[in-house]
Amino acid sequence: MFKIFRYLKDSKAMVLSIIVLLVIQAGCDLSLPQYTSDIVDVGIQQGGIERATPEIMRKETYENLTLFMTEDEIQSVEPYYTENSEGNYELNTKDAQVLDAMDQALGMPMLILESLQESEEYDFGQMRQAFESGMITKDQMLNMRNEAEASFGNMSESIIQQKANLFVKDEYRALGMDLDAIQMNYLKYKGIQMLGMAIIMTAASILVSLLAAKTAAGIGRTLRQNVFNKVVSFSNAEMDQFSTASLITRSTNDIQQIQMVEVMLLRMVCYAPIIGIGGIVKVLNTKTGMSWIIVVAVAAIMVLVLILMALAMPKFKKMQDLVDRLNLVSREILTGIPVIRAFSREKHEEERFEEANSNLMKTQLFTNRVMTFMMPAMMFIMNGISVLIVWTGAHGIDQGNLQVGDMMAFITYTMQIVMSFLMLTMISIMLPRAGVAADRIEEVLRTEPSIHDADQVRDEELKDVKGYVAFNDVCFRYPGADEDALEHISFTAKPGETTAIIGSTGCGKSTLIHLIPRFYDVTGGSITIDGIDIRELSRNKVRSTLGFVPQKGVLFSGTIESNLKFGGEWITDEEMKSAAEVAQATEFIETKKDTYKSPIAQGGTNVSGGQKQRLSIARAIAKNPKIFLFDDSFSALDYKTDVVLRKALKEKVADAAVIIVAQRISTILHADQIIVLEDGHVAGIGRHEELMKNCEAYQEIAKSQLSEAELKGGLAS
């Protein structure tokens, strides 16, 4: 699972940019609830008056307040008020720390003063005169303050500040200030700030989505490239280990899963801790006394996540194997439709597909049901937490320990914290499946090809290839097999000569010819080209000397020209046309409207088997190699075309070594050397006439294919 995170290491700059943007987004997101709280508490309830420290107040008000202030409190306030021409005191500082200290100093005296004014038992003018004349001491005034504080009970600082703000509001009214204008200005200012925050948050979110998508797409591209490069380097042994359907699934579906999760990681997993931690810090700063609710919410979510993970994890691991199975069955059915129809097996194949499809559907339904259950459970927890906050907060508001705006902010912050855990939960459900996909991809990437180049190759010694191919006591055993498929094979194919290999089905003919291009490596003995062991040459060098025509003709989507020039861009039009003429492909190419520009469908499905085989032969001839390998490549040709093609081929490749695997004796009748294979070993080597005299296995093949006249006189070339 951690592999998914390691894929990000090559995109460090992009990831860092995303994190910075997420911090900005989270900062804006976390600021909005406080703005809402300020609008409710300050803008609406307090009429837009933010602080207990008045911007301006009457001189007599200031003097009355100082009666109930300690010397330290007076010292913290007095320097920051200046008497104006009208005799009022104006605030002369904007320092937030100073204003916070002044709020603390003025808050309680304002409450006491307002309380005494409402009781109408005190004349502050006389009280001030008595204080100034010494009839009332400072200690007596402070004792009066202490008595008043005791009568207020345990009031939170926010409530004290709120009541002090009401005092300031009354003071502004007494000064003749427009309170409605003050309130509207405050609301407009906060509204503009909220709008600015929302715009910044939106822009950051858009940029994060863009960068995350770009990063994930880059990771997907790199993984596809790495998997493709690795698969291309595989020998037949590794290709047998991974089925074609599985490799396709790993290169598409699995990488798509990782790409999707990478986007989620960058957008949600990185954002969730930021918003969660930030929300916790904000909650602690609200001083509502309801922090325990956060613990309850997080604990409930964690229990839910653990239960869901325990249920879903095994199914996610199984799902990818079921996707492989479905792809395998689909591929077999789609490629084998003609055979299925010919044998009237449509019903059977439908049932086979239905089984694979149903197994995948059942697993997906189970995981989807788990996901479906998760969302209502999460919403139940979130709504339950909201009700609990409102219930607890309402008691706090009723007791005067909490403001409405603070409770609203607390609800929002709590929801943000819960949502952060919800985001982590969502990704935790997706991570297991992506983790399985990553393991499957890593399995391909970790697989080392069994065939690789030597540390020091001898390519320089093979500059001018002559075309001598020698098998020296070659043995070969398939990986995991108990017996050798080929045993002690020795022969030499010379340039200018045709070496044919014939034998019964399953005797190892194709296996033998696949050893030359190193699709497999020999397990005993050696194969040499011009005296150099092919294992001491690079695979590219070995294969560049060969013109290989597989048993099953393979064409690629494109045109006839692109297929014939598949051997290299250096192949000219003249060489291409000459190769097509030798392969007897010109007759059907010229009949097409676009001739060599005619399109070829994927797999060559728009040409016949014989045409596909002739184009495959022409592709090998156009490369003009020194060694030709024909793996039963004439089987789809009619006898006449076969004879004409072999005659033209002999003239064209007079200086090249030709190795032909064949089922029909008529194809190899005039070969310079015929090798008869039987159960993986050589049963005879020689020309047709020699083998007819001294090789019983060859005689049996000949008798099964040739007439009496042909056995006596041979076939005309």
Side-chain angles (χ1 to χ4, degrees):
M1 192 176 297
F2 292 103
K3 301 180 186 72
I4 297 172
F5 293 91
R6 289 205 300 269
Y7 292 145
L8 295 169
K9 67 180 181 180
D10 294 329
S11 306
K12 293 175 183 172
M14 197 77 80
V15 172
L16 182 60
S17 301
I18 289 172
I19 291 174
V20 170
L21 288 169
L22 287 174
V23 170
I24 295 172
Q25 181 184 348
C28 295
D29 202 359
L30 291 167
S31 297
L32 291 176
Q34 188 58 52
Y35 282 110
T36 304
S37 176
D38 289 342
I39 287 174
V40 173
D41 291 341
V42 179
I44 298 175
Q45 292 185 339
Q46 297 172 196
I49 298 171
E50 277 188 273
R51 292 185 171 274
T53 303
E55 294 283 339
I56 185 171
M57 61 178 163
R58 294 169 294 175
K59 182 177 181 181
E60 62 178 302
T61 301
Y62 175 78
E63 291 174 348
N64 290 338
L65 288 172
T66 57
L67 293 174
F68 301 98
M69 295 169 65
T70 64
E71 289 300 325
D72 290 339
E73 289 174 339
I74 293 171
Q75 290 299 320
S76 66
V77 172
E78 188 174 24
Y80 303 106
Y81 274 106
T82 306
E83 187 175 355
N84 62 16
S85 58
E86 297 176 356
N88 296 322
Y89 281 24
E90 288 186 3
L91 189 66
N92 59 20
T93 181
K94 297 291 185 182
D95 190 310
Q97 291 183 344
V98 171
L99 292 173
D100 287 341
M102 292 175 69
D103 287 344
Q104 294 288 333
L106 292 170
M108 185 55 69
M110 286 181 173
L111 262 67
I112 296 169
L113 191 60
E114 185 178 24
S115 178
L116 293 176
Q117 286 175 340
E118 290 176 353
S119 67
E120 298 180 355
E121 294 179 2
Y122 297 92
D123 185 337
F124 284 101
Q126 292 179 357
M127 186 180 293
R128 193 164 51 251
Q129 289 176 1
F131 177 74
E132 291 172 354
S133 64
M135 293 177 63
I136 300 177
T137 65
K138 187 66 174 179
D139 290 338
Q140 290 175 319
M141 298 301 297
L142 293 178
N143 286 335
M144 189 181 299
R145 168 179 170 167
N146 292 334
E147 292 174 2
E149 287 183 12
S151 67
F152 294 150
N154 294 325
M155 297 180 67
S156 66
E157 290 183 7
S158 62
I159 297 299
I160 293 173
Q161 293 298 312
Q162 185 180 14
K163 291 184 177 296
N165 287 343
L166 295 175
F167 179 89
V168 174
K169 187 176 181 180
D170 292 336
E171 182 65 16
Y172 286 169
R173 186 181 291 110
L175 287 167
M177 297 175 67
D178 189 346
L179 296 178
D180 290 339
I182 292 173
Q183 184 177 37
M184 288 306 299
N185 289 336
Y186 179 84
L187 291 173
K188 287 178 182 178
Y189 178 68
K190 287 296 179 180
I192 291 171
Q193 284 185 313
M194 287 185 73
L195 180 61
M197 287 291 181
I199 292 172
I200 294 172
M201 185 172 67
T202 303
S205 178
I206 292 171
L207 286 174
V208 166
S209 299
L210 176 64
L211 295 179
K214 187 174 182 181
T215 302
I219 291 171
R221 177 199 60 203
T222 302
L223 284 176
R224 280 189 292 271
Q225 186 66 50
N226 292 343
V227 170
F228 177 79
N229 291 341
K230 177 63 75 170
V231 171
V232 168
S233 71
F234 281 168
S235 67
N236 286 15
E238 286 76 48
M239 293 301 295
D240 294 339
Q241 177 184 343
F242 301 99
S243 69
T244 303
S246 179
L247 287 173
I248 291 173
T249 304
R250 294 172 199 238
S251 301
T252 53
N253 183 269
D254 288 356
I255 292 177
Q256 186 178 5
Q257 287 289 330
I258 292 174
Q259 187 172 327
M260 181 173 61
V261 168
E262 292 289 3
V263 174
M264 302 292 283
L265 281 176
L266 293 172
R267 291 184 59 188
M268 294 174 62
V269 174
C270 292
Y271 186 65
I274 298 172
I275 199 75
I277 294 170
I280 291 171
V281 171
K282 290 285 189 179
V283 161
L284 294 176
N285 288 335
T286 57
K287 299 178 182 179
T288 58
M290 296 188 291
S291 301
W292 60 272
I293 296 177
I294 304 295
V295 178
V296 173
V298 172
I301 291 170
M302 293 302 295
V303 170
L304 178 64
V305 170
L306 290 175
I307 293 173
L308 295 181
M309 289 290 288
L311 292 171
M313 182 74 80
K315 297 297 182 181
F316 280 123
K317 291 181 179 178
K318 184 180 178 182
M319 192 180 298
Q320 294 306 107
D321 293 332
L322 294 175
V323 172
D324 273 356
R325 176 63 184 168
L326 182 64
N327 283 348
L328 175 64
V329 172
S330 301
R331 191 169 182 270
E332 285 183 345
I333 293 173
L334 292 175
T335 54
I337 282 178
V339 178
I340 294 170
R341 289 173 177 168
F343 284 85
S344 298
R345 297 289 287 173
E346 291 91 343
K347 187 66 177 177
H348 171 74
E349 294 302 323
E350 286 174 8
E351 291 173 355
R352 197 159 71 100
F353 179 83
E354 178 61 26
E355 181 184 0
N357 195 23
S358 296
N359 290 337
L360 178 60
M361 179 196 70
K362 290 174 183 176
T363 305
Q364 288 177 331
L365 277 177
F366 182 87
T367 55
N368 288 340
R369 283 167 184 159
V370 170
M371 293 288 288
T372 303
F373 176 79
M374 182 192 69
M375 188 56 66
M378 284 290 182
M379 294 307 298
F380 177 78
I381 292 173
M382 291 175 65
N383 291 330
I385 293 299
S386 298
V387 171
L388 185 58
I389 292 170
V390 172
W391 176 267
T392 307
H395 285 83
I397 293 171
D398 184 56
Q399 294 169 6
N401 297 324
L402 185 67
Q403 295 189 70
V404 175
D406 286 339
M407 187 186 74
M408 292 173 61
F410 186 86
I411 291 175
T412 306
Y413 288 132
T414 304
M415 291 303 103
Q416 286 178 330
I417 295 169
V418 173
M419 284 300 296
S420 68
F421 278 90
L422 178 59
M423 285 190 280
L424 291 176
T425 302
M426 294 280 289
I427 199 70
S428 68
I429 296 295
M430 300 175 67
L431 269 177
R433 186 175 182 185
V436 172
D439 289 338
R440 284 158 52 85
I441 291 168
E442 288 298 317
E443 185 182 2
V444 175
L445 296 177
R446 284 195 308 266
T447 301
E448 288 299 324
S450 57
I451 298 175
H452 48 79
D453 295 340
D455 294 333
Q456 293 183 343
V457 296
R458 299 170 60 186
D459 291 359
E460 292 297 323
E461 300 179 30
L462 199 65
K463 286 184 177 180
D464 298 320
V465 183
K466 295 181 178 62
Y468 287 91
V469 180
F471 277 63
N472 306 305
D473 196 32
V474 168
C475 297
F476 173 73
R477 177 178 298 184
Y478 283 103
D482 297 326
E483 299 179 354
D484 287 341
L486 296 173
E487 297 178 354
H488 308 292
I489 307 294
S490 297
F491 69 89
T492 300
K494 300 176 182 179
E497 295 184 358
T498 298
T499 298
I501 303 169
I502 195 169
S504 59
T505 301
C507 67
K509 302 186 297 298
S510 293
T511 300
L512 185 148
I513 208 167
H514 286 174
L515 294 176
I516 301 173
R518 295 191 71 191
F519 294 158
Y520 297 99
D521 263 346
V522 299
T523 52
S526 65
I527 300 173
T528 62
I529 295 178
D530 292 352
I532 302 175
D533 193 323
I534 59 174
R535 289 171 293 187
E536 297 177 4
L537 298 169
S538 68
R539 286 169 293 173
N540 184 59
K541 182 65 177 178
V542 171
R543 292 164 186 173
S544 67
T545 65
L546 306 175
F548 178 68
V549 184
Q551 186 172 9
K552 181 182 179 181
V554 177
L555 298 180
F556 301 93
S557 58
T559 62
I560 292 176
E561 180 181 4
S562 67
N563 274 276
L564 296 186
K565 291 184 177 181
F566 192 74
E569 297 179 357
W570 47 266
I571 297 174
T572 63
D573 290 345
E574 289 72 18
E575 290 171 328
M576 173 188 69
K577 292 176 180 178
S578 174
E581 189 173 348
V582 171
Q584 308 303 303
T586 308
E587 58 181 80
F588 74 85
I589 294 175
E590 297 293 344
T591 60
K592 294 182 177 290
K593 179 182 177 182
D594 298 321
T595 60
Y596 290 91
K597 299 293 183 181
S598 300
I600 295 292
Q602 182 182 2
T605 55
N606 61 337
V607 293
S608 69
Q611 291 173 343
K612 187 188 300 184
Q613 208 163 60
R614 279 180 278 176
L615 290 174
S616 298
I617 294 169
R619 178 174 59 197
I621 296 171
K623 187 180 175 183
N624 195 26
K626 290 297 183 180
I627 302 167
F628 282 92
L629 305 177
F630 295 99
D631 186 6
D632 199 14
S633 307
F634 305 96
S635 57
L637 304 180
D638 61 85
Y639 179 72
K640 178 183 176 182
T641 304
D642 185 0
V643 171
V644 175
L645 191 156
R646 283 188 290 107
K647 183 177 180 181
L649 180 64
K650 189 172 184 179
E651 296 173 359
K652 174 71 176 178
V653 297
D655 61 341
V658 179
I659 302 176
I660 299 175
V661 170
Q663 298 282 357
R664 298 187 313 204
I665 283 185
S666 58
T667 302
I668 60 165
L669 194 64
H670 300 287
D672 299 290
Q673 179 180 221
I674 300 174
I675 299 168
V676 183
L677 287 182
E678 186 174 25
D679 296 332
H681 65 272
V682 176
I685 297 180
R687 297 179 68 87
H688 171 70
E689 296 78 8
E690 298 171 8
L691 293 172
M692 285 298 297
K693 294 177 182 178
N694 54 33
C695 182
E696 183 179 346
Y698 187 79
Q699 291 170 7
E700 291 178 358
I701 296 172
K703 289 176 182 178
S704 67
Q705 295 184 16
L706 303 178
S707 64
E708 289 294 331
E710 291 170 330
L711 288 171
K712 292 177 180 179
L715 289 173
S717 59

